[in-house]
Amino acid sequence: FVKATWALFSIALPTEIVIFLLYWTLIYEGVTTYRGVMFHGGGIILLLIDGFLISRIPLRIKQFILFECYALFYFAWSSIQAFSGMGNPDRNEGVDDDDAIYSSIKWKNDTESVLILSAVALLVINPLVFFICWCVSWITPKRLVVGGIDVGDVDDDLWVERK
């Protein structure tokens, strides 16, 4: 359970930050709604508080591969969703001929731009965001639990990963 939580956190936090950055720079059209804020950035605060302050989940550079695979699967799924004809329930029929999940990821109408965006996200934005998250993780205090007993804060020198 602990390793699953650790792995999911290493995917969720940087993903939420990338979603925040891409939504507010590429898609935002000037109308702010509660749903838009919570879906595209509101979770960052909750993830930071829970992951780094309450649970004190450490991130490791080797976990970057989990985040990168998730992003790759997301772009693959968005292309499958666009070309399969399954539609997008959030889009009005007849208003838009591309059933893209987001307007900046229109595989049918603008494949070249989406490929460029995917490459930039996978090769530049994702590594940078994960590195920043790793740095924040590195400076937050760790908690050592031995035999189910919380023995408090520890220095990184004392942090030993059990195998």
Side-chain angles (χ1 to χ4, degrees):
F1 177 72
V2 172
K3 288 192 180 211
T5 302
W6 197 358
L8 289 173
F9 179 71
S10 71
I11 296 169
L13 179 63
T15 298
E16 188 69 26
I17 293 170
V18 170
I19 288 170
F20 171 82
L21 294 172
L22 294 178
Y23 177 80
W24 294 103
T25 57
L26 299 177
I27 299 170
Y28 179 66
E29 296 176 348
V31 178
T32 305
T33 63
Y34 176 78
R35 180 180 181 212
V37 171
M38 291 309 291
F39 280 11
H40 304 102
I44 294 173
I45 296 166
L46 299 174
L47 281 166
L48 287 169
I49 291 169
D50 182 46
F52 290 144
L53 300 178
I54 296 172
S55 300
R56 298 185 185 179
I57 301 172
L59 286 180
R60 299 292 183 250
I61 292 294
K62 65 183 176 182
Q63 293 171 316
F64 172 70
I65 192 72
L66 299 172
F67 170 51
E68 196 73 354
C69 285
Y70 175 80
L72 185 63
F73 287 136
Y74 176 80
F75 283 118
W77 170 253
S78 69
S79 68
I80 290 168
Q81 188 267 339
F83 291 113
S84 69
M86 69 177 66
N88 183 347
D90 291 334
R91 297 265 188 231
N92 295 329
E93 293 298 324
V95 174
D96 196 356
D97 62 347
D98 194 320
D99 292 324
I101 298 169
Y102 289 107
S103 60
S104 61
I105 307 177
K106 291 187 173 187
W107 286 98
K108 285 184 189 175
N109 296 344
D110 199 5
T111 306
E112 185 177 315
S113 293
V114 176
L115 286 172
I116 292 169
L117 175 63
S118 301
V120 169
L122 292 169
L123 301 174
V124 178
I125 298 171
N126 288 0
L128 182 63
V129 167
F130 193 88
F131 178 75
I132 292 168
C133 291
W134 175 75
C135 289
V136 172
S137 170
W138 189 72
I139 62 172
T140 57
K142 309 300 181 270
R143 176 174 285 150
L144 179 62
V145 177
V146 178
I149 301 169
D150 185 356
V151 293
D153 296 340
V154 295
D155 294 328
D156 274 338
D157 298 340
L158 301 175
W159 186 260
V160 178
E161 185 177 335
R162 288 199 287 180
K163 297 187 182 211

